[in-house]
Amino acid sequence: MIRDDAFEQTFTEVLEEILGWDLELTDDDSPKTVEGWDSLAQIRLVNELETRFGVRLPDEALLEEQSVGSLKALVLEHAG
Amino acid sequence: MRDDSADEAGEAGEAGEAGERRLTFTRDDLERFAAAGGDRNPLHLDAGFARRTPFGAPVVHGALLAIGMLGAIPPEQLAQIGTVRVWFAAPLMVGDAASVSVSPSRWGAGAWEVRLTGRGRALARLLAAPAGAEPAPQAVPAAAILTHPMRSAPAEPEPAELTPGATSGGAYATRSDELQQLAAALGAGRLDPALLEGLAWASYVVGMELPGLHSLFSAVTLNALAPGAAGALAPGAAGAPAARHVLSVRDHDPRTGRLLIDGTLFDAAGDPRASAVIECFTRAPALAPDPRLLAAGAEPAADPGAVLVVGGSRGFGAALSLALLARGYTVHVAYSGSPESAAELTRLAGAGSIRLELHRLDAADPVALTALGEALGGAGAPLKGLVLNAALPPLPMGVTANSGAELADYVARSLTLAAVPLGAMLPLLGPGSWVVCSSSSALTAPPRDWPHYVSAKGALEGLAGWLAAAAPGIATVILRPPAMRTEMTNTPTGRIAAAPVETIAARLADQLARGELPAGLTVLEPDAIVVAGR
């Protein structure tokens, strides 16, 4: 899997679905900068990314604070 | 229930107005909602059950919060709503007040966003839109309906019932008049009856069916459906009341316990009434400590005696109590809540229970602790050890001007649970005694939602530092364990990396029994020992 327009669009759709559609997030955004990005939202993000991209993300995706960029990197790393 | 804008519910009026109100719910309100909608999960109604969860006390039904939040929408606009999406971020406790703010939403024309805040943070977020804002989800086929009646006690489903594709269902009906009265009292009298029933139904599904007894309701997307036309959205038509429902598990993540359930509510004629995608979490209760692990390799203490564990009937306190028993100590356990947990501790202690004494008291009560101290002192021997392990459940909290007092109150109440027992037992402690203060690794890696918990542990460590200076002959131990598998960490993400209580408890008990911890202050962290200030 490569980080192309299709990847970015799917990723953005997931972020909008879970965190809200009016946020215009960048790779640097994280729970520290996004209101409502709490642990439950993190679980939803991980599950939805796994479903949409057909990947299984490691537990660190659930446990450690992630940014938009680090989540993208995890998806790319673990995609087939 | 108390809605501080109830008088204004009919006056919020014009489309586009935003406003704020406050909501509070009593135990009676929860009983009424449970009777009207069928969700009798003890997390909402049984203080003893709730005490043994991470929340510590009964929690207001999420669906009831949602009805209260919908009541903030101007009535004429509320009547047009056909779709509701709500996410529950943190619980509202019985008797606590929360603020509701409502504003038009960019989700679509006629859409509204409602936010519920309390304890300085967001508790819930709700989006409501007229019919057609979202495509109607596929109704689960009526042919799959099973015939079991509505439950009066929560289910405890087998794992197979939680696997994707598993279907279930049965009878479901509300006491619609009572539900309507509740809604009206919350300003939501104009809400489509199908949505009102649907919210009660979603609550029932999670709390009574899937996953039932040990559950957490976290989100729902709910659509009102027109009678006689599967999949069509037509709010406002009263239709026939609900009579049956069908559920299908869409997804289950065993790492976190997250369940996604598709459901459809039908009337007696089999016409769909409402459809929902329900998100919830299974909460398998934390297991009791394993006495075999705690006793494995245990050597008798060089100098056993009587010890007091304050907060020792569950979780880490119970594990440490059992570990100390296994090393020959006489263990007095002070506990405040659950006689069931205390009885379980006696059972787990087995033969060691002859050296186990249980004292049910409030650790913050100086009269009770003084009496206990006098009783222990009357035995003639000094107290060998004291474990200060009583703690308050940390509900998620934020730091704002309005939550500052609540945060400080939590710190004060928490410190009281340590200071009162310490004050009562100090006359019984002397050179050769030890005092363990249960702090947490959270102090060095503060979780975002626990500013109060971190502050409370900081205060406890301050008290420990004072003790080490004031009584240098005592071994004062600050224990900063990592998150352990107890009810306090039994949350969706808390359970993933939690360590077994037995590992930490057995190691500490060995160190105490061998006399390895010196007089003065010692800080024990998961894989390191820092000795400070002899």
Side-chain angles (χ1 to χ4, degrees):
Chain A
M1 185 180 296
I2 59 172
R3 188 169 169 172
D4 57 10
D5 287 347
F7 173 90
E8 295 288 348
Q9 180 174 343
T10 302
F11 209 99
T12 299
E13 286 170 4
V14 173
L15 291 176
E16 289 178 344
E17 167 77 13
I18 306 295
L19 298 177
W21 48 87
D22 52 352
L23 296 176
E24 295 181 12
L25 301 178
T26 70
D27 282 8
D28 291 333
D29 279 302
S30 73
K32 287 189 172 64
T33 60
V34 181
E35 188 193 358
W37 188 342
D38 57 15
S39 58
L40 291 183
Q42 183 71 18
I43 291 170
R44 294 182 187 117
L45 275 174
V46 169
N47 283 167
E48 191 63 20
L49 289 170
E50 290 178 327
T51 300
R52 296 290 291 269
F53 289 103
V55 301
R56 168 83 173 198
L57 296 178
D59 285 354
E60 69 184 84
L62 291 162
L63 291 173
E64 297 175 10
E65 185 173 286
Q66 304 292 333
S67 65
V68 172
S70 68
L71 276 175
K72 287 180 180 176
L74 279 172
V75 171
L76 290 166
E77 179 186 342
H78 291 273
Chain B
M1 70 213 94
R2 187 162 149 215
D3 165 6
D4 285 345
S5 69
D7 289 342
E8 301 162 3
E11 298 169 6
E14 300 296 320
E17 281 191 13
E20 189 158 319
R21 65 213 300 251
R22 289 176 73 73
L23 289 176
T24 307
F25 296 91
T26 65
R27 288 178 60 181
D28 246 11
D29 297 326
L30 273 58
E31 284 285 352
R32 288 177 62 201
F33 181 73
D39 181 2
R40 300 204 59 84
N41 191 290
L43 180 61
H44 308 295
L45 305 176
D46 183 337
F49 179 91
R51 187 181 171 80
R52 299 189 297 277
T53 70
F55 313 106
V59 167
V60 179
H61 299 79
L64 190 52
L65 292 182
I67 296 168
M69 293 166 77
L70 287 163
I73 296 172
E76 287 304 318
Q77 282 69 52
L78 183 62
Q80 304 305 312
I81 297 302
T83 295
V84 173
R85 300 187 71 181
V86 59
W87 299 264
F88 304 110
L92 180 67
M93 318 308 290
V94 171
D96 286 355
S99 294
V100 181
S101 63
V102 60
S103 58
S105 167
R106 288 159 58 177
W107 191 18
W112 295 83
E113 177 165 348
V114 188
R115 291 177 181 264
L116 187 74
T117 55
R119 295 193 303 276
R121 59 156 291 158
L123 301 181
R125 174 172 172 252
L126 181 147
L127 294 173
E134 281 220 340
Q138 187 111 17
V140 182
I145 293 176
L146 304 179
T147 56
H148 80 245
M150 260 183 90
R151 296 183 185 276
S152 56
E156 293 185 74
E158 297 295 324
E161 298 173 70
L162 303 179
T163 54
T167 61
S168 60
Y172 179 76
T174 65
R175 294 185 193 170
S176 47
D177 285 352
E178 290 170 35
L179 205 55
Q180 188 59 39
Q181 282 174 19
L182 277 168
L186 287 167
R190 297 293 305 275
L191 181 66
D192 185 316
L195 288 177
L196 183 59
E197 269 190 329
L199 286 170
W201 163 60
S203 189
Y204 169 85
V205 166
V206 175
M208 301 295 283
E209 296 273 4
L210 270 180
L213 182 62
H214 302 292
S215 61
L216 198 63
F217 185 12
S218 55
V220 63
T221 297
L222 183 67
N223 295 278
L225 301 176
L233 300 172
R244 285 176 284 187
H245 70 141
V246 176
L247 306 170
S248 175
V249 176
R250 185 196 288 193
D251 193 25
H252 177 223
D253 185 346
R255 295 170 298 180
T256 59
R258 181 176 181 250
L259 266 177
L260 276 184
I261 302 166
D262 293 294
T264 306
L265 193 57
F266 298 87
D267 64 21
D271 289 324
R273 181 108 168 102
S275 66
V277 181
I278 298 169
E279 180 198 76
C280 53
F281 289 82
T282 60
R283 286 193 328 100
L287 297 174
D290 186 339
R292 295 167 303 174
L293 294 176
L294 293 162
E299 295 169 8
D303 179 18
V307 302
L308 171 63
V309 180
V310 182
S313 67
R314 296 179 293 151
F316 176 71
L320 185 57
S321 298
L322 292 170
L324 292 168
L325 274 176
R327 286 151 182 81
Y329 292 94
T330 296
V331 179
H332 294 262
V333 168
Y335 71 101
S336 67
S338 167
E340 293 85 1
S341 299
E344 173 78 348
L345 184 65
T346 302
R347 187 188 68 77
L348 291 169
S353 64
I354 58 171
R355 285 178 284 108
L356 177 66
E357 301 263 357
L358 300 169
H359 307 274
R360 190 175 186 200
L361 49 77
D362 177 358
D365 180 355
V367 172
L369 268 297
T370 301
L372 179 59
E374 287 170 356
L376 295 179
L383 199 61
K384 181 63 185 173
L386 172 65
V387 179
L388 300 173
N389 188 64
L392 299 172
L395 299 172
M397 177 180 272
V399 180
T400 65
N402 289 332
S403 71
E406 193 173 348
L407 186 156
D409 178 66
Y410 178 93
V411 175
R413 287 186 295 125
S414 297
L415 191 62
T416 303
L417 295 175
V420 169
L422 178 63
M425 300 303 149
L426 260 180
L428 306 182
L429 299 166
S433 297
W434 45 259
V435 175
V436 174
C437 298
S438 286
S439 182
S440 168
S441 62
L443 204 61
T444 53
R448 186 171 60 158
D449 284 341
W450 286 5
H452 48 336
Y453 179 80
V454 172
S455 301
K457 292 307 185 187
L460 177 63
E461 294 202 5
L463 183 62
W466 170 84
L467 178 63
I474 293 174
T476 300
V477 180
I478 289 174
L479 179 69
R480 291 182 185 162
M484 295 178 284
R485 279 185 213 131
T486 67
E487 275 306 332
M488 204 175 79
T489 61
N490 194 3
T491 58
T493 47
R495 66 200 233 179
I496 297 178
V501 289
E502 295 89 346
T503 308
I504 313 292
R507 186 176 174 204
L508 174 62
D510 281 337
Q511 290 171 301
L512 294 168
R514 292 171 190 155
E516 291 176 1
L517 298 170
L521 185 66
T522 301
V523 179
L524 290 180
E525 293 182 292
D527 291 305
I529 293 177
V530 175
V531 178
R534 292 175 190 270

